[in-house]
Amino acid sequence: MSRETKSRLTPTETTRARILEAGMRCFAREGFAGATTRMIAAEAGVTLPVIAYHFGNKEGLHRACAQEIIEQHRRRLLPLVSAAHEAANKGSLSATEARDWLDRILDALVEAITADAEQRLTTDFVLREMSEQGPGYALLFEGLWSPGIGLVADLLAIARQRRPGKEEERAGAVMLLASLSAFTTIEPVSLAVLGWERLDGSRRDTVMALAKRLLDGLVGR
Amino acid sequence: MSRETKSRLTPTETTRARILEAGMRCFAREGFAGATTRMIAAEAGVTLPVIAYHFGNKEGLHRACAQEIIEQHRRRLLPLVSAAHEAANKGSLSATEARDWLDRILDALVEAITADAEQRLTTDFVLREMSEQGPGYALLFEGLWSPGIGLVADLLAIARQRRPGKEEERAGAVMLLASLSAFTTIEPVSLAVLGWERLDGSRRDTVMALAKRLLDGLVGR
DNA sequence: CGTCACCCCTATCAGTTGATATATTTCGTG
DNA sequence: CACGAAATATATCAACTGATAGGGGTGACG
């Protein structure tokens, strides 16, 4: 379970890290059932049993990937999210300020979605897990998804000058974020519909503007 | 390929129909890769080779399911869709009329989403296929998805009093429909977030109202 | 130098899956 | 009833998957 080693980045740790990264890529691309342990091992440059040695089994690796993603996002998004959450909870947030927070969050999400494949790894992993609900689902739901929806819902409530906690706001938050799945889960389909090859510069702006208009509708302008 | 029999519903045809239905259920529930031919055969009450006898192989069955869905939807939605499409193409549609059509389409979609499991079969099948892009993908994309998006995009353009065909409207249509995936692809997740058990009466109204508000945002009220 | 824990590999297993060769049944038709 | 074609079942195959038993190499430490 705990793998504290005295010196950092021993050869063992780099092997473990390589497997973890290969697992992320494969799971994000193929899903838990679709990714084979041989595929992961090959991509990590190791042989099959090494995975079991470090992570127990395929499920263990999947959970470890989910945990890694949660910690990455905590490191990256914690300042943004905790500040917003704190302000929202204190009740010291005006409607327009809440709307600003929502804009910023949407910006960050569209940014994450339109990033290059390497950066989209975690996004793809998480969204795929929300559809499949594999071994890492519970971790991601509790550690990432549920709190994220909660934050957006609270901000929505403040922006609409209602008291938070209502189901309506949570459902709205869920649907708003789901609208972005057009360019994640079913991205190739959407790109084919639009005749786009990928989501570069000006097209990202288009998507961003559309997300803002959807938000407008939710907030009631 | 062609299986025209003179008399209707010969025992052979009912076997074929049972397999088709079992395939729909299994593919909708587990996806193309996840559903096993044995699972389908058992659910249809036949043995393995019968599937191959009627459909060639697993891929053939999957394509046949996709084809069946397309024809079902054509029969069911053709009056609605073709009337809307015709009106949209003739340019004889006012902005408010276009908005009415969009409302009606959203109603129908939310209705389809919140129906019981049996009725959601085709919806689940289609959406799963948009994510996985299995053997039946091309059929569903050309026969259902792409024209559907096109219709919504054209109506959106008219409702906004722009000329149709712009990428912006198509992207908006894609995102609007994707927002509904909150209660299809990732339905269990959303229900867990909301503390709901299922999407019954009043909750369906909530979702419907939210979809309308998202549409408001797209149209610009 | 010995040895012992740690790390990684080769080889192999049992279970599952899609497919099919072959046998049996069913049924219309003469 | 006879017979042949269509429809279904039995038995089996090769490929693949997750897992692991067992061996070898390496380095820290006495």
Side-chain angles (χ1 to χ4, degrees):
Chain A
M1 206 73 32
S2 64
R3 292 206 49 76
E4 337 291 88
T5 21
K6 299 152 220 165
S7 73
R8 304 184 169 173
L9 236 61
T10 68
T12 303
E13 290 302 308
T14 68
T15 303
R16 196 187 139 90
R18 277 212 319 276
I19 296 175
L20 208 57
E21 199 191 320
M24 298 254 242
R25 267 201 295 270
C26 293
F27 287 139
R29 185 165 14 101
E30 319 271 354
F32 176 71
T36 71
T37 50
R38 281 171 175 79
M39 184 190 301
I40 297 169
E43 198 152 326
V46 297
T47 53
L48 249 187
V50 183
I51 296 178
Y53 178 80
H54 284 281
F55 299 95
N57 54 22
K58 194 183 175 185
E59 288 195 12
L61 174 59
H62 196 260
R63 275 192 295 268
C65 287
Q67 192 61 49
E68 171 68 18
I69 286 176
I70 290 177
E71 283 161 14
Q72 266 184 34
H73 277 261
R74 277 210 205 290
R75 281 196 294 271
R76 208 180 298 169
L77 299 180
L78 198 61
L80 177 69
V81 168
S82 70
H85 222 160
E86 195 174 343
N89 283 342
K90 276 192 179 166
S92 63
L93 217 57
S94 74
T96 54
E97 282 171 340
R99 169 62 201 243
D100 284 345
W101 276 112
L102 286 170
D103 277 337
R104 240 166 293 168
I105 291 174
L106 272 189
D107 281 343
L109 288 175
V110 174
E111 198 77 34
I113 284 172
T114 56
D116 59 302
E118 192 63 26
Q119 290 206 18
R120 283 192 44 177
L121 261 185
T122 59
T123 313
D124 290 345
F125 188 104
V126 172
L127 287 170
R128 193 173 265 279
E129 200 51 17
M130 291 301 115
S131 310
E132 294 186 358
Q133 309 188 12
Y137 168 70
L139 284 170
L140 291 173
F141 180 82
E142 294 295 335
L144 225 60
W145 195 264
S146 189
I149 299 289
L151 173 59
V152 172
D154 289 346
L155 290 173
L156 267 178
I158 298 175
R160 297 185 67 205
Q161 300 179 328
R162 316 268 169 124
R163 67 167 187 280
K166 282 267 296 182
E167 287 180 342
E168 191 183 359
E169 318 298 341
R170 295 181 80 83
V174 166
M175 292 178 70
L176 177 64
L177 298 188
S179 73
L180 296 179
S181 76
F183 297 103
T184 56
T185 311
I186 59 169
E187 187 200 27
V189 185
S190 299
L191 294 186
V193 165
L194 295 166
W196 295 355
E197 288 190 0
R198 45 196 186 84
L199 265 184
D200 46 10
S202 70
R203 283 158 180 174
R204 181 176 59 190
D205 296 342
T206 302
V207 172
M208 189 85 82
L210 284 164
K212 296 284 173 61
R213 274 163 58 192
L214 291 173
L215 177 55
D216 283 337
L218 276 190
V219 174
R221 183 62 58 100
Chain B
M1 205 70 32
S2 65
R3 293 206 49 75
E4 340 290 88
T5 21
K6 302 150 219 165
S7 73
R8 304 182 171 179
L9 236 59
T10 67
T12 302
E13 290 302 310
T14 69
T15 302
R16 194 187 140 91
R18 276 213 319 278
I19 295 174
L20 208 56
E21 198 191 321
M24 297 254 242
R25 267 202 294 272
C26 292
F27 286 140
R29 185 164 14 99
E30 320 271 354
F32 176 71
T36 73
T37 51
R38 281 170 176 81
M39 184 189 300
I40 297 169
E43 198 152 326
V46 298
T47 54
L48 249 186
V50 183
I51 296 178
Y53 178 80
H54 285 281
F55 299 95
N57 54 22
K58 193 183 175 186
E59 288 195 12
L61 173 58
H62 196 260
R63 275 191 295 268
C65 288
Q67 192 61 48
E68 171 67 19
I69 285 176
I70 289 176
E71 283 161 15
Q72 268 185 31
H73 276 261
R74 277 211 206 289
R75 282 195 295 272
R76 208 179 297 171
L77 299 180
L78 198 60
L80 177 68
V81 168
S82 69
H85 222 159
E86 195 174 343
N89 283 344
K90 275 191 179 168
S92 64
L93 216 57
S94 72
T96 54
E97 283 171 338
R99 168 62 201 242
D100 284 346
W101 277 112
L102 286 169
D103 276 338
R104 241 166 291 166
I105 291 174
L106 271 188
D107 281 344
L109 288 176
V110 174
E111 200 76 35
I113 284 172
T114 57
D116 59 301
E118 193 62 27
Q119 292 205 16
R120 281 192 46 177
L121 261 184
T122 58
T123 313
D124 290 346
F125 188 104
V126 173
L127 287 170
R128 194 173 264 280
E129 200 51 16
M130 292 300 116
S131 310
E132 293 187 358
Q133 310 188 12
Y137 168 71
L139 285 168
L140 292 173
F141 180 83
E142 294 295 335
L144 225 58
W145 196 262
S146 189
I149 298 289
L151 173 60
V152 172
D154 288 347
L155 290 173
L156 267 178
I158 297 175
R160 297 185 68 205
Q161 301 179 326
R162 316 270 169 121
R163 69 166 186 282
K166 281 268 297 182
E167 287 181 343
E168 192 183 359
E169 318 297 342
R170 296 181 82 81
V174 167
M175 291 178 72
L176 178 64
L177 298 188
S179 73
L180 296 178
S181 76
F183 297 102
T184 56
T185 312
I186 59 169
E187 187 200 27
V189 184
S190 299
L191 294 186
V193 164
L194 294 166
W196 294 355
E197 287 190 1
R198 45 195 187 83
L199 265 184
D200 45 9
S202 70
R203 283 158 179 175
R204 181 176 58 192
D205 296 341
T206 302
V207 171
M208 189 85 82
L210 283 164
K212 296 284 173 62
R213 273 163 58 190
L214 290 173
L215 178 55
D216 283 336
L218 275 189
V219 175
R221 182 64 58 102

